[in-house]
Amino acid sequence: CQTCGVPRQSRGVTQEKLLLGTNTDIAIQLPKQIIPSSVAVFIQNQKIDNITLIPRLKERITEIAEKRSPKEISVISHQSEIENYLLTFKLSENVQEHSISIKYSVQDIGWEPLIQVEILDKSKATVCLEAKIFNNSIDINNADITLIALPEDKTSSHKEEADRYRNQEEPMEEYRPWEKIKYPSSAYAQYHIGILSIQSGEKKYVISAVSCKETKIEDTIYMWKTKEKVVEKYLYAKNPFDYALCDSNLKTSKDNINIFDYKSAWIEAGKPILLFRQNENEIICNSSIEVVENFEKRNTWNNCRSRSTPLCDVKDALFYNHQYEFNCLNKTDTDLKLEVVFEKKYGQDYKNIYNFRENPTKSPGWWHIWELNLNKDQNKSIKFNIDSDKRTYKEYKKYNKSIEGC
């Protein structure tokens, strides 16, 4: 069992099943690679607490030659290392036959996932989940292998993200053309591989038991992130399996040629898989911004703050007005739908006020988004302005040459 994509932190869970007759004392040798705190013994499917685990040490003697003037002498080094563990516990004398299970975890055994996508034509693709299983621990012989993955949960509230952004601790996360999966903390994915033997020091590539599935290419999304100079084209399909695909390296190919790869996030059953992304040069978008300072509001705010008056109107702190205009022209030979994504601006102390001529279609999290229906050779514009404080104005000054695609 391991968290996807973090092989060095991986652990394998091994279960041994024994069938023993009546005996009061049992001693079983376990390999040195076990994690002692993980050992558990079950008798008749009931966990028992009275077990003892004793490390058995092996002395290693090393002879080291050291040159000490004027002669060379030998130094004998004595070191102890764990050779194995001895597990002991007692059985009931009143039972003729015992069914015993021993479970334990070991270090350095795990797997790395890979999603392989082959685009067949404009409407179909094949999705395969592959796994690279590595073993730098104990030998595994004819074991029934199940792979388990936990999602890499990096979600946080919009307030927490806004606080980090205002303090410039880290940039905002990238916008996705579909909603990010919100999974419970207990979510995990399980893939049954079947009987497999993997010796220590060996790596194996396997395809899960469900193998590959064909899926329908759902849609094409055109999107302009207004910070960028180009429009991007997204091609996606739905996860065709009845289970989640864990955080993985995803590679897309067409005609056996790799055309796209990236690190995919957790993808629930039936949710979108990004297959391909490229620039679309036939949709031309540009932006302009003009900042006007309201000197009357600025003086009112500064005078009020200098007197430490508690009744200052916080709207007077927003004495910069940012006037935006976005224009997009469709030069393709078809009508299409375009998403225009604008990154929201947050003031340092006071919420900026937006004044839209055309309201955004939606405003999730960090972004305002307009969904435009663009006919071929059609141009559309979006205009709005923001009443902002000093922090947003400083951002504008800092990125004056590149902000919002200018």
Side-chain angles (χ1 to χ4, degrees):
C1 164
Q2 78 148 103
T3 301
C4 268
V6 194
R8 280 180 286 182
Q9 297 179 358
S10 64
R11 292 183 179 181
V13 179
T14 303
Q15 176 173 312
E16 307 284 354
K17 291 186 178 181
L18 306 172
L19 194 63
L20 300 174
T22 301
N23 197 339
T24 56
D25 297 308
I26 295 294
I28 297 175
Q29 180 178 297
L30 298 181
K32 65 180 181 180
Q33 295 89 344
I34 68 168
I35 300 169
S37 61
S38 69
V39 177
V41 177
F42 298 82
I43 299 179
Q44 261 51 345
N45 295 322
Q46 296 294 320
K47 184 179 179 181
I48 63 172
D49 297 323
N50 297 323
I51 65 173
T52 303
L53 192 65
I54 304 171
R56 302 172 73 181
L57 302 178
K58 177 183 179 182
E59 188 175 46
R60 187 175 63 186
I61 301 176
T62 306
E63 185 176 348
I64 304 173
E66 291 188 0
K67 189 170 184 179
R68 297 183 181 177
S69 181
K71 296 181 179 181
E72 185 177 277
I73 65 172
S74 295
V75 178
I76 304 299
S77 172
H78 294 264
Q79 294 179 327
S80 296
E81 62 181 21
I82 296 176
E83 184 175 20
N84 52 51
Y85 287 88
L86 188 65
L87 172 67
T88 63
F89 54 91
K90 290 183 178 293
L91 297 179
S92 172
E93 296 180 352
N94 300 323
V95 180
Q96 293 300 312
E97 193 175 74
H98 298 80
S99 175
I100 301 174
S101 294
I102 302 172
K103 294 183 180 181
Y104 53 84
S105 297
V106 294
Q107 298 276 13
D108 297 323
I109 181 170
W111 68 291
E112 295 176 355
L114 173 63
I115 299 173
Q116 295 272 21
V117 177
E118 176 71 24
I119 295 179
L120 304 176
D121 54 40
K122 292 183 178 180
S123 62
K124 291 182 298 183
T126 300
V127 181
C128 300
L129 175 65
E130 298 183 8
K132 178 174 73 174
I133 302 176
F134 65 90
N135 179 13
N136 294 314
S137 188
I138 62 175
D139 291 344
I140 298 175
N141 296 304
N142 297 320
D144 193 6
I145 302 292
T146 297
L147 307 178
I148 296 177
L150 306 176
E152 295 180 357
D153 189 357
K154 300 176 182 177
T155 59
S156 59
S157 68
H158 296 319
K159 182 180 184 302
E160 290 172 344
E161 292 174 346
D163 289 341
R164 288 201 305 270
Y165 180 55
R166 283 198 296 267
N167 296 327
Q168 296 184 339
E169 292 178 5
E170 59 182 79
M172 295 186 292
E173 67 177 52
E174 183 182 2
Y175 172 73
R176 296 173 176 81
W178 41 78
E179 185 179 1
K180 186 176 181 180
I181 296 295
K182 297 178 181 178
Y183 36 72
S185 59
S186 59
Y188 70 95
Q190 181 171 297
Y191 315 106
H192 182 239
I193 300 300
I195 303 299
L196 203 63
S197 295
I198 311 173
Q199 305 308 305
S200 179
E202 187 178 6
K203 294 182 180 179
K204 281 196 175 183
Y205 291 83
V206 298
I207 298 178
S208 62
V210 293
S211 190
C212 306
K213 274 196 174 183
E214 191 174 286
T215 185
K216 180 181 178 182
I217 295 178
E218 291 289 321
D219 202 358
T220 301
I221 296 176
Y222 295 93
M223 185 171 67
W224 179 40
K225 299 173 187 175
T226 57
K227 270 190 171 183
E228 310 295 334
K229 295 182 179 180
V230 295
V231 173
E232 288 186 306
K233 176 183 178 180
Y234 291 79
L235 190 68
Y236 74 94
K238 287 185 178 179
N239 176 5
F241 300 109
D242 56 2
Y243 54 78
L245 297 173
C246 59
D247 310 75
S248 313
N249 292 317
L250 188 147
K251 296 182 180 294
T252 301
S253 58
K254 186 175 182 181
D255 299 327
N256 295 319
I257 299 174
N258 185 51
I259 59 173
F260 187 63
D261 59 79
Y262 70 105
K263 176 67 181 293
S264 74
W266 188 265
I267 306 170
E268 290 283 1
K271 295 299 182 180
I273 304 174
L274 175 61
L275 306 182
F276 186 62
R277 181 174 67 188
Q278 69 176 12
N279 294 340
E280 177 52 72
N281 298 320
E282 293 298 307
I283 304 174
I284 303 168
C285 293
N286 55 70
S287 64
S288 64
I289 176 174
E290 182 180 354
V291 180
V292 178
E293 186 175 1
N294 188 320
F295 293 100
E296 182 179 348
K297 288 175 68 175
R298 184 190 68 177
N299 292 334
T300 300
W301 176 253
N302 290 339
N303 290 335
C304 184
R305 296 292 289 176
S306 65
R307 295 194 301 270
S308 300
T309 303
L311 299 178
C312 295
D313 188 350
V314 295
K315 289 185 178 180
D316 288 332
L318 310 178
F319 47 80
Y320 290 103
N321 185 262
H322 300 242
Q323 300 173 2
Y324 286 88
E325 182 173 353
F326 302 137
N327 290 283
C328 289
L329 174 64
N330 177 14
K331 297 295 290 183
T332 70
D333 57 1
T334 59
D335 301 340
L336 53 84
K337 183 177 177 180
L338 173 68
E339 290 189 2
V340 176
V341 180
F342 174 76
E343 183 182 282
K344 292 179 183 177
K345 305 300 177 186
Y346 290 90
Q348 185 173 13
D349 301 306
Y350 308 100
K351 186 176 180 181
N352 297 332
I353 297 176
Y354 287 77
N355 303 289
F356 298 109
R357 293 192 185 182
E358 180 181 348
N359 287 327
T361 308
K362 52 189 176 183
S363 298
W366 286 108
W367 307 277
H368 290 307
I369 301 167
W370 290 264
E371 294 179 352
L372 305 181
N373 293 313
L374 283 179
N375 299 326
K376 57 182 181 180
D377 293 324
Q378 182 185 19
N379 181 78
K380 277 199 173 183
S381 64
I382 299 170
K383 296 181 181 181
F384 64 95
N385 60 74
I386 308 173
D387 292 328
S388 80
D389 64 5
K390 286 184 178 179
R391 169 57 67 91
T392 305
Y393 179 67
K394 286 179 181 178
E395 291 175 14
Y396 161 73
K397 293 288 287 184
K398 184 177 180 180
Y399 304 109
N400 188 35
K401 293 183 180 180
S402 60
I403 195 169
E404 308 308 333
C406 292

